[in-house]
Amino acid sequence: QEGVIKFLGIPVDGTKQEMIQKLKSKGFTYNQREDALEGEFNGEQVSIQVQTQNNKVWRLRIFDTEPRSKGQIKIRFNKLVGQFENNGKYTPAKKYQTISEYEDIPHEIIINDKQYQAVFLSETGGKVWFTIERVIANFRIVMYYENTKNEADGSDL
C-alpha cells in the first residue's frame, strides 16, 4: 500500500467491500440504494462512490450533496484549489487552475460544453482532481481520489 494515495488516511486500494468498511469506521454511513457512503468531508456533506477496476479500488468519487448557484460554485472551486495548493502533500498539475471572477460558468458549461477541472498529484504518485458538474439549474463539485496503479491499462483488451 506504499505509494498509494490516501483519503482521510485510508489507502485508496483493496476491494470495494474493504474500502466501504474503512470509510464506515471513519463515520460515513452506507446507503445501499445509492451504493454510496454519506457523511462530512472538508466541512461539506458529501456522498462517496467506490469505483473499481478488475475488483480493485481504482478511485473514490466524492460529490457535494448540496448544489450551489453559479456564484457559490466559483467560490467553492477556487477555495478547493487554494486548499490543495497550500497542502504540501500535493503538487498542482498546471500553474493556474482557479476560475476568473468574470467567467460565466453556466454559459461556458451549457453553451460551450466547457469542463472546469483542477488536477493535483500526490506525493505518493496518486492523483486528486475535481470538476464542476451541472445539477439542473445549479452546480456541484465532484472530486476524485485516484489510485493510478489500479487504473485500467488495456491489458484486458
Side-chain angles (χ1 to χ4, degrees), residues 81 85 91-98 119-120:
V81 169
E85 285 178 344
T91 304
K94 56 184 183 177
K95 193 165 175 111
Y96 301 105
Q97 300 191 82
T98 55
V119 181
F120 295 87

Side-chain angles (χ1 to χ4, degrees), residues 43-157:
E44 297 288 330
Q45 287 301 308
V46 299
S47 286
I48 302 173
Q49 295 170 324
V50 179
Q51 299 180 327
T52 61
Q53 294 281 348
N54 295 319
N55 298 316
K56 290 183 179 178
V57 175
W58 163 46
R59 70 181 181 183
L60 299 179
R61 180 180 188 267
I62 304 143
F63 57 94
D64 294 352
T65 57
E66 289 297 316
R68 289 181 157 77
S69 70
K70 64 181 182 180
Q72 293 169 329
I73 201 65
K74 192 181 301 181
I75 292 165
R76 170 95 167 106
F77 187 94
N78 288 342
K79 182 179 175 185
L80 272 173
V81 169
Q83 287 176 334
F84 277 97
E85 285 178 344
N86 293 321
N87 185 323
K89 295 188 289 188
Y90 301 97
T91 304
K94 56 184 183 177
K95 193 165 175 111
Y96 301 105
Q97 300 191 82
T98 55
I99 301 171
S100 160
E101 65 179 286
Y102 305 107
E103 188 85 4
D104 184 348
I105 292 173
H107 177 82
E108 292 298 330
I109 289 176
I110 296 164
I111 305 301
N112 296 331
D113 201 27
K114 183 173 181 175
Q115 182 178 13
Y116 295 92
Q117 68 181 32
V119 181
F120 295 87
L121 305 176
S122 76
E123 60 189 7
T124 61
K127 178 169 63 171
V128 177
W129 64 282
F130 51 91
T131 188
I132 296 173
E133 180 177 87
R134 185 172 163 217
V135 183
I136 308 171
N138 288 305
F139 305 91
R140 69 177 171 201
I141 294 291
V142 181
M143 185 179 300
Y144 298 90
Y145 276 71
E146 294 186 351
N147 176 345
T148 53
K149 294 177 178 165
N150 289 346
E151 187 175 24
D153 61 5
S155 61
D156 56 351
L157 294 177

Side-chain angles (χ1 to χ4, degrees), residues 15-21 23-24 28-39 46-52 55 57 59-63 65:
T15 67
K16 181 175 182 175
Q17 200 54 44
E18 289 169 342
M19 179 58 69
I20 288 170
Q21 289 306 315
L23 289 167
K24 284 169 77 174
F28 290 89
T29 56
Y30 183 68
N31 180 328
Q32 189 168 355
R33 186 174 55 82
E34 299 291 329
D35 190 22
L37 293 115
E38 299 167 342
V46 299
S47 286
I48 302 173
Q49 295 170 324
V50 179
Q51 299 180 327
T52 61
N55 298 316
V57 175
R59 70 181 181 183
L60 299 179
R61 180 180 188 267
I62 304 143
F63 57 94
T65 57

